[in-house]
Amino acid sequence: QVNLVESGGGSVQPGGSLRLSCAASEHTVSMGWFRQSPGKEREGVACVDSGGRTSYADSVKGRFTISQDNAKNTLYLQMNGLKPEDTAMYYCAAKSGEGGCSTDNYHYWGQGTQVTVSS
């Protein structure tokens, strides 16, 4: 099993920035970030595939950037221009094969890190 540990969450004012990190116990083919707020379904935020190609939810395009350091088996999510609607529990996920940025395609999940954006 692949172990994933997220860090970097916290509280920030609107317009602020945070960088989330996800440390994986071993290399995986693809990784991504997902989020879930109370009363809503878990949604894909940003994913990167084995070829380094990235995809983003429309709501975060231009504000969030996903990146990875393969040597460290670490995934990052740089979040800029944060909005109150970005408030959610953010989860790191990984998979050993190919597939789209959808929760159903991912095999391993971290415990989540809370991001709260408010005045």
Side-chain angles (χ1 to χ4, degrees), residues 4-112:
L4 304 172
V5 180
E6 303 102 331
S7 62
S11 297
V12 65
Q13 295 184 345
S17 298
L18 286 172
R19 189 176 81 153
L20 306 184
S21 298
C22 172
S25 61
E26 60 187 87
H27 175 73
T28 59
V29 173
S30 301
M31 299 183 73
W33 290 97
F34 298 78
R35 67 186 182 187
Q36 185 171 25
S37 57
K40 299 178 64 178
E41 295 183 357
R42 187 173 300 184
E43 64 175 348
V45 176
C47 294
V48 59
D49 66 15
S50 60
R53 293 167 294 190
T54 59
S55 61
Y56 297 90
D58 288 341
S59 60
V60 307
K61 288 181 179 178
R63 298 188 297 120
F64 291 10
T65 302
I66 188 171
S67 61
Q68 59 185 0
D69 185 338
N70 290 324
K72 298 180 179 180
N73 291 330
T74 302
L75 182 74
Y76 303 96
L77 183 67
Q78 179 65 48
M79 304 185 293
N80 298 325
L82 285 163
K83 303 175 180 180
E85 51 262 44
D86 294 319
T87 296
M89 183 72 73
Y90 283 71
Y91 298 90
C92 175
K95 58 184 178 181
S96 58
E98 298 296 333
C101 192
S102 173
T103 58
D104 292 340
N105 295 326
Y106 285 78
H107 310 141
Y108 310 105
W109 296 85
Q111 294 300 307

